[in-house]
Amino acid sequence: MSKKTSAQPRPVTPVTQHAASRTQSSVAKQHGGKVPAGSYVGRLQQAAAKSK
């Protein structure tokens, strides 16, 4: 029998515009200067705009 452990809920930290910008820059550098279509960067930027 395995014990079930309840995981501690992680605190929710809102995404800042600055963090989204850093992430976009990093992803673009990894892909030759362009952010691939369908990447998570767009969703991250939307979350940053909404948490403003």
Side-chain angles (χ1 to χ4, degrees), residues 18-42:
H18 184 67
S21 175
R22 285 193 322 258
T23 303
Q24 180 181 13
S25 174
S26 176
V27 170
K29 285 178 185 175
Q30 292 172 0
H31 294 93
K34 295 185 179 184
V35 177
S39 74
Y40 65 95
V41 175

Side-chain angles (χ1 to χ4, degrees), residues 2-51:
S2 65
K3 280 188 174 181
K4 273 194 166 183
T5 58
S6 60
Q8 293 291 336
R10 292 174 38 175
V12 177
T13 305
V15 178
T16 64
Q17 194 69 34
H18 184 67
S21 175
R22 285 193 322 258
T23 303
Q24 180 181 13
S25 174
S26 176
V27 170
K29 285 178 185 175
Q30 292 172 0
H31 294 93
K34 295 185 179 184
V35 177
S39 74
Y40 65 95
V41 175
R43 291 188 304 275
L44 187 64
Q45 287 180 326
Q46 284 180 338
K50 287 179 182 179
S51 70

